[in-house]
Amino acid sequence: MGAPGRFGIAETLTIKNWGDGEVTDIQAKTIWQHAAGDTNRKYVDLCLKWGVILNGPGDYGPWPDCEESLRKDEWSKRKITDLRRFCQGMNDRDFVVLRLGTNSIYGVGQIVGDYEHCEEFNDIDGWAIAHVRRTRWLWKYKENPKKFDTNTLKRGDTTQLLDAPAVKSWLESLEIPDAERERTPVDLPNIGDDANVSVGDISEYLFDKGVASNSISSLLDQIGELIRIANWYNRSKETPSEHETVNYLVVPLLRALGWTPQRMAIEWQKIDVALFSSLPRTEESLSVVVEAKKKDASCLSAFEQARDYSSALAGKICRRIIVTDGLRYGVFVRDSVDQPFSLYAYMNLTRLRNDYPIYECKGVRDALLMMTPEWSSVEGS
């Protein structure tokens, strides 16, 4: 180990066997631990896929221009210090371990270049985390992360210096091929000129796909009402329960999309909202499983629970799963009951987008189309 560094913790380490069995001396290099979400909202795989680590809040603009606005909006001094550490304290070629919780490591990488701000990361399942450090991942988990004793890694701030002897001992044992040490991170997706979608664009798209005019008018009116309700929740600092989210946000949107009460069931067989292709409402006619979380909670993390419900009950025809917090919707689809579900479209009613390159899926127009009762008859048009 070397001398104490700028944050008061020893900063140097010699890591062995990082490339053809030779000792790679990285004296004077800092090693960080960085969190990729929490137990309720994880974005580990996005970090590994795009070669990044992320921090927020990112919707105030790039650092350091955002610092004054963060203070005015009463973000804590601790959070601002954490963000400063991420944007200014990390340096090119520093090392980082990607963690969840205090005992699991999913990746080991090296920082590449300077701090960036990427607007594409400002809606990661509802989190605005557009502060970016490009990262060359040298080691990635496969099926399971590297596990340590609980509290081996530090709680608290997203970005912290690593001072866990057990983790450093493990790092020394890693063998990193030359190809990984020289790999260039993939290019980040850029927001195109046509990224944002207007209400008129949605109307024309749905009409061209065969959705009735009266349904489209009702839907667009309802979207405006839902946004007003959501803004009221934000202004009043209210956090609606899951039941309130379903009743005031989710069901009105589904009704506007054309689902009738006869073909909807709330809290049916453990499913928050069950949608049926025909009557009577049975397991055999279950068409869509809707899993809802309270507003501002992670909706995409609810997919596995909804999938399990679908597998246990739906059997033969359920090909759609919708997960939502009332404003954000992830729509998963499968080609047949023998195939796995995949994320086909994502939408945020307060941020209407044509597609989501980060998720490699479509946006609001296709999400709404896939949520209609007529989807099976218009999907191929």
Side-chain angles (χ1 to χ4, degrees):
M1 297 297 297
R6 59 184 175 278
F7 288 101
I9 299 175
E11 292 185 342
T12 62
L13 181 69
T14 299
I15 296 183
K16 301 176 182 177
N17 302 325
W18 282 37
D20 297 333
E22 299 295 329
V23 173
T24 300
D25 187 356
I26 59 167
Q27 293 292 335
K29 291 297 180 182
T30 306
I31 303 177
W32 302 89
Q33 65 167 57
H34 184 84
D38 54 31
T39 55
N40 296 317
R41 194 181 322 234
K42 307 173 184 177
Y43 49 92
V44 164
D45 291 333
L46 284 177
C47 290
L48 297 177
K49 174 181 178 179
W50 290 104
V52 295
I53 54 175
L54 306 167
N55 209 331
D59 49 353
Y60 289 79
W63 181 272
D65 299 343
C66 64
E67 184 173 6
E68 183 177 353
S69 296
L70 290 170
R71 295 185 187 281
K72 287 182 178 179
D73 228 5
E74 298 184 351
W75 283 84
S76 70
K77 292 181 179 179
R78 179 171 180 172
K79 181 62 221 182
I80 294 173
T81 298
D82 174 56
L83 192 55
R84 181 185 299 111
R85 184 185 301 123
F86 177 85
C87 300
Q88 296 181 193
M90 286 183 155
N91 290 311
D92 180 40
R93 302 188 69 78
D94 283 354
F95 289 90
V96 61
V97 297
L98 190 68
R99 73 172 178 92
L100 278 177
T102 63
N103 69 341
S104 299
I105 291 179
Y106 287 78
V108 177
Q110 191 171 27
I111 303 300
V112 177
D114 298 326
Y115 156 79
E116 301 177 42
H117 185 272
C118 180
E119 182 66 24
E120 273 301 303
F121 291 102
N122 255 344
D123 185 6
I124 301 302
D125 197 9
W127 275 1
I129 45 178
H131 300 290
V132 176
R133 300 305 302 253
R134 303 309 313 277
T135 306
R136 177 187 298 112
W137 294 113
L138 305 169
W139 175 89
K140 301 178 184 179
Y141 86 107
K142 294 181 179 179
E143 294 183 359
N144 299 300
K146 174 63 179 177
K147 290 282 191 178
F148 295 90
D149 292 337
T150 301
N151 294 324
T152 296
L153 298 159
K154 289 179 284 190
R155 299 177 183 272
D157 296 345
T158 302
T159 304
Q160 304 179 63
L161 279 165
L162 177 72
D163 61 359
V167 177
K168 291 183 176 180
S169 177
W170 171 68
L171 290 174
E172 288 180 326
S173 71
L174 286 179
E175 296 186 11
I176 309 298
D178 284 341
E180 299 299 329
R181 294 191 293 121
E182 298 169 359
R183 186 185 302 276
T184 301
V186 300
D187 292 336
L188 296 181
N190 294 318
I191 299 177
D193 294 336
D194 60 348
N196 295 321
V197 178
S198 70
V199 171
D201 292 333
I202 296 172
S203 175
E204 291 180 1
Y205 183 79
L206 295 178
F207 185 81
D208 289 346
K209 291 295 184 178
V211 180
S213 294
N214 59 344
S215 296
I216 294 172
S217 297
S218 175
L219 170 64
L220 298 184
D221 288 343
Q222 190 61 59
I223 288 176
E225 177 66 11
L226 295 178
I227 293 173
R228 284 190 288 273
I229 294 172
N231 289 336
W232 176 81
Y233 280 129
N234 291 335
R235 290 194 305 272
S236 62
K237 308 299 182 184
E238 293 276 354
T239 302
S241 66
E242 183 177 312
H243 291 291
E244 197 168 326
T245 298
V246 169
N247 290 327
Y248 294 165
L249 298 174
V250 179
V251 169
L253 180 62
L254 293 173
R255 289 294 309 276
L257 284 165
W259 293 97
T260 63
Q262 301 96 308
R263 293 171 60 187
M264 299 174 60
I266 298 175
E267 296 184 358
W268 184 86
Q269 300 279 24
K270 297 183 179 179
I271 298 172
D272 289 335
V273 183
L275 305 176
F276 299 88
S277 60
S278 61
L279 298 177
R281 302 188 299 193
T282 65
E283 292 182 14
E284 288 71 23
S285 63
L286 179 60
S287 179
V288 187
V289 170
V290 181
E291 182 66 21
K293 298 297 179 183
K294 65 181 181 180
K295 180 180 168 292
D296 293 332
S298 167
C299 66
L300 294 182
S301 64
F303 164 71
E304 292 185 3
Q305 181 180 0
R307 180 196 58 197
D308 291 344
Y309 290 155
S310 173
S311 299
L313 293 172
K316 299 180 181 179
I317 69 168
C318 183
R319 292 175 50 201
R320 286 177 284 176
I321 288 175
I322 299 170
V323 292
T324 180
D325 74 337
L327 289 179
R328 301 172 188 90
Y329 289 77
V331 186
F332 295 79
V333 68
R334 58 182 174 181
D335 293 332
S336 69
V337 294
D338 298 325
Q339 299 296 318
F341 285 97
S342 62
L343 180 62
Y344 184 82
Y346 175 82
M347 71 174 181
N348 181 339
L349 292 178
T350 64
R351 189 172 181 259
L352 303 178
R353 299 288 306 280
N354 186 48
D355 58 12
Y356 279 84
I358 293 298
Y359 290 127
E360 294 185 316
C361 73
K362 298 180 181 296
V364 60
R365 299 185 305 179
D366 290 275
L368 290 170
L369 180 65
M370 289 185 64
M371 291 167 63
T372 62
E374 301 89 353
W375 171 70
S376 60
S377 62
V378 300
E379 57 181 314
S381 60

